[in-house]
């Protein structure tokens, strides 16, 4: 069972497997570069717990937990450097 | 409106312009948000853009002539976007302008695509779409200095060869690379378009070809290939839902799209993910040997700063402090400048009055024109102050973090993190707050924010609150704190606005703005030092936009309300008595000054008397003595000035009855049955109607209606006693705590501010939203005041 992006622990890196759905949220995530095969690193949550911050394609992106849940990531998680 | 934007293909899109033609070239500028696009636009055009709106949409239209080129080149600024896939009419504007299908803008001859050099891969997604348009293109790698400092190496000539278009490096905030860019723009049209990237698998293009034939069958024979591709790619997008909408072939069009997408899915190109995959693969491939970024990104200063600023405790604390400073600036620091506006307005009115004798013309000029201009200028200090901070915070990268910090709170009400700053600053004044909603990309969240911003208790409510709280709320100690009841009442009024805004936003989300929750996907840009030039140009830009666009409407509203309270009515006696008053004031200036002096010292003596210790007998006697001489002198002067005082009272009295007879006064009488359930008499009703230009005017207007003249403020003792003594025809007092509360609640929630409504008109480019705002706020205010009064009267 693949994990979703909101479960990626702080500071860790995973590979994106897929973005679920074909609505506006999914399209926006794809447009921002969350395509399958890309590496993504979690940078933690906002002080109130939502949204979350990630690093992907060399820039920083903020996603709500609800949106991050749309992104499937690999089980294989390695320590980010 | 819709017909000219609906993209039925009838306009030919080929026809390149003839070089050296006398017509100016039209060049569009497009780019991701946070790439310094507006900075570049301002640097190229020298702050002399024509600002307006594209018809029918909320998109701002900015066109400026490029300075310092031989050719005449008009630059059209398009809104910052991550992608050219239109989901709404607003987003369709950019596509239509670029394809030469927007009747409001000349056909675009070339396009300048601004990319963030330090974030090339993501930015190349949009660049790929722009190159697919097949227009002469200049690719700009902006913030090149930042990218270089971070260790990026970009081979510009090689990139240019690969793309087949000109590539220019700039650092707009340092004004570097601008000449090269101007030269490239001038050369772009003669050079012609570069090759299209064609990043998709052949199966996709074959499907597009089929779809184009299908369209021809349905009656659209010359659809641009870009639109056909977009229609296929954007599931539920603007082209799918609106193209051919309303015609009898709409269903066949949708079926054709669904079938095409089905075939593509079978061929391994699932829509919509195929686009991101294809374009990002193209971006990676294009950048492969020409741009290198350091493999292991060293922790930058920006990262360390960010750790503090988004820290669980420190981050929120710093945010709170910053917001207090911004609020303080708009609420208090702008005040001296606003007072200066007020003083200037009185000075100009006085000057006009000294030139023109009392009459209709003078009234129009002082109470209409000068008051109208003053009513526009008075907002500039707050607008300037807010946009100074917003530009500063945005340019250094903090504004996105502020949204990141506050999103959780705001999302509960269907808003998002970017709504926080506009709503917070609306507590000083809703106008700059509404203007600041431009940063909210999502249309529904932006409109919700605009619609609820005027519910925040702005500084113009304070005179109303102060007047009625000082008059009717006891300052007797509560839990040992003197004035605590008054403070709590004031606090409750501010709380009422916030609670109402939260409820209205939540209701809007469920009703007119229903639908899927819009994504809040936001880039968090790296921190950098703000550029003073960017901040100054941003402030200038917004102030000009306000004066030229909203200012004219606010001015017009002031004139209309002046006329409504002046006509019809025979003012000849008022003017004649006013002439006498002015003459008498001129000849009696010394006694008048003397009287003012005596009145002041009498007040001081009384004060000392009141605070005297019970056993200070000798001092008491001395004070008694002084009091009686001063009082005697005052009585003599009062006798001497009696004709003048009588004439003044007569003028004030005449004014009150003329206002009562005016159009708005009659309307006030007419609506008395409507306001009676709020505990109001017709005088409060007229005062409220007359306060449409600005709600704080209700204090002055009550002064006029009670025959006290027009120089009355909330601490005026005569107004206080007039309110205390006001009676219904049957002798019951008009005012009491329930009425005071119902007036305060009404003014807390009502839309009595023409300037706010006109700003909403300007920002949304439609009369619909100011009308919606006015209607819902007036109804809300009315019913809240009704409930307040009816409950309070039963408890009292």
């Amino acid at each position: 069972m693949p994990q979703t992006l909101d479960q990626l622990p702080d500071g860790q890196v995973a590979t994106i497997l897929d973005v679920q759905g074909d609505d506006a949220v999914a399209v926006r995530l794809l447009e921002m570069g969350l395509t399958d095969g890309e590496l993504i690193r979690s940078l933690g949550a906002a002080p109130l717990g939502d949204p979350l911050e990630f690093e992907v394609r060399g820039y920083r992106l903020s996603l709500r937990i609800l949106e991050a849940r749309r992104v499937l990531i690999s089980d294989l998680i390695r320590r980010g450097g | 409106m819709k017909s000219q934007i609906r993209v039925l293909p009838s306009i030919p899109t080929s026809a390149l312009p003839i070089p050296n033609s006398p017509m100016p070239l039209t060049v569009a500028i497009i780019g991701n948000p946070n790439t310094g696009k507006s900075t570049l636009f301002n640097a190229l055009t020298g702050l002399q853009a024509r600002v307006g709106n594209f018809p029918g949409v909320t998109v701002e239209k900015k066109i400026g002539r490029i300075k310092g080129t031989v050719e005449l080149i008009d630059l059209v600024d398009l809104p910052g976007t991550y992608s050219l896939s239109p989901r709404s009419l607003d987003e369709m504007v950019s596509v239509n302008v670029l394809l030469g299908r927007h009747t409001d803008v000349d056909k675009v001859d070339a396009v300048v695509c601004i990319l963030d050099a330090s974030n090339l891969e993501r930015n190349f997604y949009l660049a790929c779409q722009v190159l697919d348009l097949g227009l002469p293109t200049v690719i700009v790698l902006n913030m090149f200095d930042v990218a270089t400092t971070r260790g990026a190496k970009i081979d510009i000539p090689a990139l240019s060869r690969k793309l087949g278009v000109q590539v220019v490096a700039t650092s707009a905030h340092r004004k570097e690379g601008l000449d090269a860019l101007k030269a490239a723009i001038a050369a772009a049209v003669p050079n012609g378009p570069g090759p299209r990237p064609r990043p998709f698998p052949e199966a996709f293009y074959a499907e597009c070809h089929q779809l184009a034939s299908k369209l021809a069958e349905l009656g659209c024979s010359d659809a641009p290939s870009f639109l056909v591709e977009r229609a296929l790619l954007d599931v539920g997008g603007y082209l799918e839902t609106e193209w051919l909408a309303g015609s009898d072939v709409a269903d066949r069009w949708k079926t054709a799209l669904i079938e095409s997408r089905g075939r593509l899915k079978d061929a391994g190109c699932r829509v919509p993910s195929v686009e991101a995959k294809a374009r990002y693969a193209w971006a990676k491939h294009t950048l492969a040997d020409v741009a290198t970024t350091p493999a292991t990104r060293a922790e930058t200063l920006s990262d360390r700063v960010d750790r503090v600023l988004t820290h669980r405790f420190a981050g929120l604390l710093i945010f709170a402090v910053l917001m207090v400073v911004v609020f303080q600036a708009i609420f208090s620091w702008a005040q001296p400048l606003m007072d200066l506006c007020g003083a200037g307005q009185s000075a100009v009115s006085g000057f006009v009055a000294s030139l023109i004798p009392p009459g209709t013309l003078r009234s129009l000029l002082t109470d209409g024109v000068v008051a109208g201009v003053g009513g526009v200028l008075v907002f500039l200090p707050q607008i300037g102050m807010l946009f100074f901070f917003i530009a500063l915070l945005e340019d250094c990268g903090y504004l996105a973090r502020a949204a990141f910090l506050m999103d959780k709170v705001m999302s509960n009400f269907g808003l998002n993190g970017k709504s926080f700053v506009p709503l917070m600053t609306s507590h000083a004044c809703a106008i700059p707050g509404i203007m600041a909603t431009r940063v909210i990309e999502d249309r529904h969240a932006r409109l919700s924010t605009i619609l609820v911003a005027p519910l925040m208790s702005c500084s113009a409510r304070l005179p109303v609150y102060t007047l009625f709280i000082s008059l009717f709320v006891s300052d007797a100690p509560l839990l040992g704190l003197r004035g605590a009841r008054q403070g709590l009442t004031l606090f409750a009024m501010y709380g009422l606005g916030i609670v109402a805004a939260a409820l209205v936003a939540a209701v809007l989300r469920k009703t007119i703005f229903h639908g899927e929750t819009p994504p809040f996907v936001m880039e968090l840009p790296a921190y950098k030092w703000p550029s003073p030039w960017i901040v100054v140009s941003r402030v200038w830009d917004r102030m000009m936009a306000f004066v030229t666009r909203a200012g004219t409407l606010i001015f017009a509203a002031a004139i209309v309300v002046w006329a409504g309270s002046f006509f019809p009515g025979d003012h000849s006696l008022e003017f004649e008595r006013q002439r006498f008053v002015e003459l008498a004031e001129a000849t009696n200036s010394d006694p008048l000054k003397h009287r003012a002096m005596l009145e002041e010292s009498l007040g001081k003596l009384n004060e000392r008397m009141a605070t005297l210790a019970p056993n200070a007998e000798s001092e008491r006697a001395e004070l008694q003595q002084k009091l009686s001489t001063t009082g005697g002198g005052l009585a003599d002067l009062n006798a001497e000035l009696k004709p003048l005082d009588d004439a003044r009272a007569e003028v004030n009295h005449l004014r009150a009855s003329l206002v009562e007879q005016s159009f708005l006064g009659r309307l006030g009488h007419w609506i008395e049955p409507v306001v009676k359930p709020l505990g109001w008499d017709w005088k409060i009703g007229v005062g409220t109607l007359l306060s449409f230009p600005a709600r704080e005017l209700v204090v002055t207007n009550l002064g006029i209606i009670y025959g006290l003249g027009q120089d009355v403020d909330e601490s005026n003792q005569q107004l206080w006693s007039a309110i205390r003594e006001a009676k219904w025809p049957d002798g019951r007092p008009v005012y009491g705590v329930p009425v005071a509360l119902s007036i305060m609640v009404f003014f807390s929630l009502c839309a009595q501010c023409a300037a706010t409504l006109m700003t909403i008109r300007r920002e949304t480019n439609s009369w619909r939203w100011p009308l919606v705002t006015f209607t819902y706020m007036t109804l809300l205010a009315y019913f809240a005041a009704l409930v307040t009064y009816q409950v309070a009267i039963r408890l009292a």
Side-chain angles (χ1 to χ4, degrees):
Chain A
M1 181 69 194
Q3 282 184 297
T4 49
L5 187 56
D6 56 300
Q7 296 164 321
L8 184 63
D10 197 356
Q12 306 225 340
V13 177
T15 310
I16 297 169
L17 294 179
D18 194 18
V19 175
Q20 294 174 300
D22 56 6
D23 58 347
V25 177
V27 170
R28 175 46 73 87
L29 294 172
L30 289 163
E31 284 171 353
M32 298 305 278
L34 279 77
T35 54
D36 55 349
E38 272 302 308
L39 293 179
I40 189 161
R41 181 159 74 118
S42 164
L43 298 172
L48 300 175
D50 194 15
L52 311 173
E53 188 177 356
F54 299 96
E55 187 180 317
V56 65
R57 293 187 192 266
Y59 78 98
R60 288 168 164 221
L61 181 68
S62 138
L63 300 180
R64 284 184 182 156
I65 291 174
L66 219 59
E67 291 149 3
R69 225 169 257 166
R70 296 289 204 87
V71 184
L72 300 183
I73 51 170
S74 61
D75 285 326
L76 188 92
I77 294 169
R78 60 176 174 85
R79 273 239 156 256
Chain B
M1 263 331 125
K2 232 176 175 178
S3 62
Q4 65 185 35
I5 293 160
R6 175 143 322 150
V7 284
L8 286 175
S10 51
I11 315 153
T13 54
S14 52
L16 276 173
I18 310 135
N20 305 326
S21 62
M23 283 290 286
L25 293 175
T26 305
V27 174
I29 181 167
I30 193 160
N32 280 191
N34 307 311
T35 48
K37 190 170 62 69
S38 353
T39 317
L40 213 54
F41 180 89
N42 286 340
L44 289 172
T45 58
L47 281 182
Q48 284 180 358
R50 307 191 297 280
V51 183
N53 254 89
F54 287 106
V57 291
T58 61
V59 181
E60 191 171 64
K61 180 171 76 176
K62 239 170 105 181
I63 301 179
R65 176 85 27 108
I66 297 186
K67 303 270 172 242
T69 48
V70 184
E71 298 84 354
L72 298 178
I73 305 170
D74 279 338
L75 201 58
V76 185
D77 193 18
L78 295 176
T81 180
Y82 292 111
S83 160
L84 279 181
S85 53
R87 297 208 145 258
S88 64
L89 195 58
D90 279 20
E91 290 170 350
M92 195 61 208
V93 169
S94 293
V95 174
N96 276 328
V97 168
L98 288 169
L99 291 176
R101 312 179 136 264
H102 203 295
T103 46
D104 206 46
V105 177
D106 291 335
K107 203 182 108 51
V108 167
D109 300 304
V111 54
V112 176
C113 183
I114 317 281
L115 311 181
D116 174 358
S118 61
N119 184 8
L120 268 189
E121 197 172 303
R122 220 256 346 269
N123 278 253
F124 251 57
Y125 183 84
L126 180 68
C128 182
Q129 291 181 329
V130 169
L131 289 167
D132 256 345
L133 289 164
L135 282 168
T137 306
V138 177
I139 298 284
V140 178
L141 308 184
N142 195 25
M143 304 201 254
F144 199 73
D145 52 339
V146 180
T148 317
T149 351
R150 289 209 204 138
K153 290 195 173 53
I154 305 167
D155 183 348
I156 290 178
L159 184 59
S160 176
R161 273 195 303 277
K162 254 187 157 174
L163 293 172
V165 298
Q166 302 175 87
V167 179
V168 183
T170 60
S171 304
H173 59 117
R174 293 187 184 175
K175 299 196 172 190
E176 284 170 11
L178 294 181
D179 289 335
L181 175 56
K182 283 177 193 171
I185 293 173
V189 177
N191 283 354
R196 299 194 186 199
R198 290 180 71 86
F200 294 101
E202 275 315 311
F204 175 79
Y205 292 107
E207 201 57 60
C208 281
H209 192 74
Q210 268 196 30
L211 201 60
S213 328
K214 186 81 190 173
L215 265 174
E217 230 174 85
L218 297 177
C220 291
S221 51
D222 53 356
S225 58
F226 184 85
L227 290 188
V228 178
E229 288 172 19
R230 287 264 50 102
L232 190 50
L233 288 167
D234 301 337
V235 181
Y238 185 79
L239 290 164
E240 177 178 329
T241 54
E242 297 295 314
W243 209 357
L244 302 175
S247 75
D248 47 354
V249 290
D251 289 341
R252 288 172 65 195
W253 163 240
K254 281 194 185 159
T255 318
L257 276 175
I258 292 167
E259 284 170 7
S260 278
R261 286 179 193 144
R263 282 192 294 273
L264 278 176
K265 192 180 174 189
D266 296 341
C269 312
R270 189 168 70 88
V271 170
S273 59
V274 63
E275 180 173 23
K277 278 183 203 166
R279 295 203 194 275
Y280 274 107
W282 174 86
K284 268 217 160 83
H285 173 77
T286 310
L287 291 169
D289 352 303
V290 293
T292 52
T293 40
T296 50
R297 213 166 68 88
E299 186 183 59
T300 59
L301 180 64
S302 172
D303 295 337
R304 285 195 291 273
V305 170
D306 197 46
R307 217 145 357 124
V308 179
L309 291 182
T310 56
H311 184 269
R312 188 153 304 183
F313 303 111
L316 286 178
L317 188 71
I318 293 169
F319 174 75
V321 170
L322 266 172
M323 289 303 115
V324 168
V325 171
V326 172
F327 185 73
Q328 189 64 17
I330 306 164
F331 200 79
S332 315
W333 301 349
Q335 199 58 49
L337 285 168
M338 292 168 72
D339 291 344
L340 206 66
C341 280
Q345 190 184 323
S346 332
V348 174
S349 284
F351 179 69
V352 171
S354 71
L355 294 180
I356 302 169
T360 308
L361 180 63
R362 189 212 269 193
S363 178
L364 168 66
L365 288 177
T366 57
D367 301 338
V369 176
V370 177
V373 172
V376 174
L377 295 182
V378 73
F379 292 110
L380 284 181
Q382 289 181 325
I383 292 172
M385 206 62 98
L386 175 62
F387 279 96
F388 170 77
F389 281 104
I390 285 190
L392 204 67
L393 295 178
E394 190 176 28
D395 197 39
C396 72
Y398 187 77
L399 207 60
R401 264 77 180 186
F404 179 67
L405 291 177
M406 292 318 290
D407 183 60
K408 177 87 189 278
V409 181
M410 309 307 287
S411 65
N412 292 330
F413 311 107
L415 303 172
N416 69 42
K418 291 186 177 178
S419 313
F420 184 80
V421 170
L423 289 181
M424 183 213 56
T425 54
S426 293
H427 280 104
C429 178
I431 286 159
I434 289 165
M435 292 171 69
T437 60
R438 264 181 198 279
V439 295
I440 306 171
E441 285 128 19
D442 176 62
R443 187 181 136 83
H444 283 175
R446 177 167 177 227
L447 281 173
S448 287
T449 311
I450 289 178
L451 258 52
V452 302
L455 286 170
M456 302 295 163
S457 271
C458 64
S459 49
R461 265 106 159 172
L462 266 179
V464 186
Y465 296 160
T466 311
L467 175 66
F468 289 100
I469 287 178
S470 348
L471 269 171
F472 295 102
V473 180
S474 147
D475 64 350
L478 181 75
L479 300 171
L481 276 170
R482 203 175 162 78
R485 287 166 210 271
Q486 297 186 327
L488 276 177
T489 313
L490 188 63
F491 184 78
M493 286 300 138
Y494 277 88
L496 177 67
I498 296 172
V499 170
L503 288 176
V504 171
V507 168
L508 286 173
R509 183 82 193 81
K510 292 258 177 322
T511 55
I512 49 176
F513 299 143
H514 66 90
E516 53 184 314
T517 309
F520 186 62
V521 177
M522 181 178 60
E523 184 183 355
L524 295 170
Y527 292 99
K528 65 179 176 68
W529 286 111
S531 141
W533 189 77
I534 290 175
V535 173
V536 169
S537 65
R538 188 73 195 281
V539 170
W540 174 256
D541 207 51
R542 285 299 107 198
M543 295 212 301
M544 281 304 108
F546 174 75
V547 171
T548 54
R549 306 266 296 142
T552 42
L553 292 170
I554 297 170
F555 177 77
I559 301 288
V560 168
V561 172
W562 168 81
S565 63
F566 189 86
F567 298 111
D570 182 6
H571 290 256
S572 52
L573 187 60
E574 179 206 341
F575 293 147
E576 193 231 288
R577 299 312 293 156
Q578 178 67 24
R579 270 194 289 275
F580 172 80
V581 166
E582 282 171 24
L583 204 70
E585 275 172 351
T587 48
N588 288 300
S589 65
D590 285 341
L592 278 169
K593 265 184 224 155
H594 193 189
R595 179 165 73 172
M597 239 166 59
L598 286 182
E599 272 168 352
E600 201 190 327
S601 53
L602 196 68
K604 279 185 188 152
L605 288 171
N606 275 326
E607 230 169 80
R608 269 174 60 192
M609 197 70 161
T611 53
L612 216 54
N615 53 359
E617 289 303 329
S618 60
E619 274 180 64
R620 187 179 306 271
E622 193 189 333
L623 274 175
Q624 288 289 12
Q625 179 63 33
K626 278 188 187 163
L627 269 172
S628 74
T629 38
T630 318
L634 204 55
D636 291 347
L637 275 170
N638 278 341
E640 185 187 337
L641 293 168
K642 189 166 185 303
L644 173 56
D645 288 339
D646 287 349
R648 278 176 170 174
E650 200 187 342
V651 168
N652 289 341
H653 190 74
L654 283 168
R655 245 182 222 154
S657 68
L658 282 164
V659 164
E660 192 183 338
Q661 291 161 31
S662 71
F663 289 121
L664 285 173
R666 289 174 197 192
L667 188 61
H669 266 293
W670 188 70
I671 61 160
E672 187 171 8
V674 180
V675 297
K676 223 169 178 175
L678 311 184
W680 300 7
D681 65 353
W682 69 266
K683 291 186 179 182
I684 307 176
V686 174
T688 309
L689 282 182
L690 289 175
S691 314
F692 177 67
R695 51 172 76 73
E696 68 272 26
L697 290 178
V698 72
V699 176
T700 315
N701 290 331
L702 282 176
I704 294 174
I705 294 162
Y706 288 123
L708 304 172
Q710 47 188 358
D711 304 314
V712 171
D713 64 13
E714 64 272 18
S715 52
N716 185 294
Q717 294 299 323
Q718 283 175 295
L719 179 62
W720 285 28
S721 45
I723 287 177
R724 284 203 183 101
E725 286 153 21
K727 298 265 192 309
W728 288 99
D730 62 9
R732 284 180 300 122
V734 172
Y735 293 88
V737 175
V739 174
L741 287 176
S742 99
I743 293 176
M744 283 196 284
V745 166
F746 185 88
F747 275 86
S748 158
L749 301 176
C750 72
Q752 297 291 94
C753 181
T756 298
L757 296 171
M758 298 312 161
T759 305
I760 295 177
R761 159 74 185 84
R762 186 203 116 71
E763 290 295 320
T764 60
N765 193 27
S766 143
W767 284 108
R768 180 176 171 198
W769 299 113
L771 271 173
V772 168
T773 309
F774 180 77
T775 313
Y776 100 76
M777 285 182 72
T778 306
L779 288 175
L780 183 66
Y782 180 83
F783 286 106
L786 180 71
V787 169
T788 307
Y789 177 74
Q790 296 298 339
V791 169
I793 202 92
R794 279 165 180 77
L795 291 179

